[in-house]
Amino acid sequence: MNDNSRTTGKPATAARMYDYYLGGIHNFEADRAAADMVMAQFPFIRDAARANRAFVANAVRYVAEAGVRQFLDLGSGIPTVDNVHSIVRRAQPGARVVYVDIDPDAVAESMDILSGDQDAVAVRGDVQDPPAVLNHPDVRRILDFGRPIGLVVAAVLHFLPDHRAAERILAEYVAALPPGSHVVVSHSAKESFDLVDRSTVTENVYQRRTSTPGTVRTRAEVERLFAGLEMVEPGVVWAQQWQAGTAVTDPAPPGLGGVWAGVGRLT
């Protein structure tokens, strides 16, 4: 995907910038340039992205070990390193996974990766339109909404700047899930960006260089996203600290964070 002959005219996207942060190869020159701008201003971004990825791996493993055999990954980007389907199938062979992203290139790459896999699919969809995503034919074909589902919303809600809209949209997805389902959420932490006191610069980079403006939220604002859910201990903590069932009484200083993360359960 690094072939320069394929990068001409390609605008940056959040999905491919994230792939670049993780050290992946599914990104273009525009993505690398935009991501380098963000990292120059916020050097912790790459570590935060990797901490987020490690959290997702830990969280979906926990959910699969709790007996959940199907997953819906919203704003999934490109499922390369430590992808959801490979992780959950170590605990639940034959687990079914749907990846959803608005970026057509991310979806195309995902379809290539999933070629021949009858129990996993990538679909193009806008996370901000829950009815369209939830009623997509491939989503309904792969997932049984009468059985528990693991909903993964990792590093995506910070692309919905309106706080009330983000809460409402996530609530719509949660309302479609049966008891026993789990919701995995991670989100850029305002507390970390405030230490640099230039958080609007990152928002501007995403808004100017991609089609998806970004924002950051406080720990309390991220906790509100889990309204109506039973939190899995340790609740909402730094992504680096999250381990299911392990209490965290003194979160690390904001400078060591970058990403708030947590898992909720429908009872």
Side-chain angles (χ1 to χ4, degrees):
M1 209 60 178
N2 277 340
D3 182 356
N4 289 335
S5 67
R6 301 178 63 190
T7 64
T8 303
K10 285 285 187 180
T13 70
R16 295 195 302 265
M17 287 171 66
Y18 183 62
D19 177 73
Y20 179 61
Y21 294 145
L22 294 176
I25 62 171
H26 299 272
N27 50 78
F28 298 134
E29 183 178 345
D31 308 304
R32 296 189 289 275
D36 284 341
M37 287 179 64
V38 175
M39 289 190 291
Q41 295 152 0
F42 303 99
F44 64 84
I45 286 290
R46 174 160 274 165
D47 287 341
R50 292 175 177 175
N52 176 72
R53 197 64 199 163
F55 157 71
V56 172
N58 289 338
V60 299
R61 183 182 302 113
Y62 163 79
V63 174
E65 290 174 350
V68 177
R69 296 179 52 83
Q70 45 183 2
F71 291 77
L72 176 60
D73 189 347
L74 301 177
S76 54
I78 304 167
T80 52
V81 179
D82 287 335
N83 55 63
V84 170
H85 65 278
S86 64
I87 292 170
V88 300
R89 285 174 181 171
R90 294 168 197 158
Q92 295 285 355
R96 303 166 74 84
V97 179
V98 175
Y99 295 102
V100 180
D101 204 279
I102 197 170
D103 176 9
D105 288 319
V107 174
E109 290 285 348
S110 301
M111 291 175 64
D112 286 344
I113 292 169
L114 298 172
S115 179
D117 191 327
Q118 299 302 309
D119 294 320
V121 68
V123 302
R124 189 180 182 194
D126 186 349
V127 170
Q128 299 180 81
D129 189 354
V133 171
L134 293 168
N135 292 307
H136 191 287
D138 283 336
V139 173
R140 290 290 167 173
R141 176 176 61 83
I142 295 290
L143 303 180
D144 177 358
F145 281 80
R147 298 177 180 273
I149 291 173
L151 178 67
V152 182
V153 196
V156 63
L157 291 175
H158 49 224
F159 294 116
L160 305 182
D162 185 308
H163 295 303
R164 291 183 180 178
E167 293 173 7
R168 174 184 56 78
I169 288 167
L170 182 57
E172 285 191 51
Y173 285 105
V174 172
L177 305 178
S181 297
H182 289 66
V183 181
V184 176
V185 174
S186 62
H187 197 292
S188 294
K190 186 176 188 299
E191 292 85 345
S192 292
F193 286 85
D194 280 351
L195 290 181
V196 186
D197 196 29
R198 287 184 292 171
S199 62
T200 56
V201 177
T202 295
E203 295 180 12
N204 288 340
V205 169
Y206 277 94
Q207 188 151 12
R208 286 187 288 107
R209 304 295 288 271
T210 79
S211 61
T212 48
T215 193
V216 290
R217 291 187 170 93
T218 65
R219 185 183 190 185
E221 288 169 334
V222 175
E223 287 174 333
R224 285 202 293 272
L225 295 170
F226 290 95
L229 299 174
E230 176 186 292
M231 294 303 299
V232 173
E233 195 173 21
V236 174
V237 295
W238 299 115
Q240 295 94 325
Q241 295 179 309
W242 195 90
Q243 291 290 335
T246 301
V248 176
T249 57
D250 184 20
L256 299 179
V259 176
W260 291 121
V263 177
R265 180 191 300 113
L266 278 77
T267 57

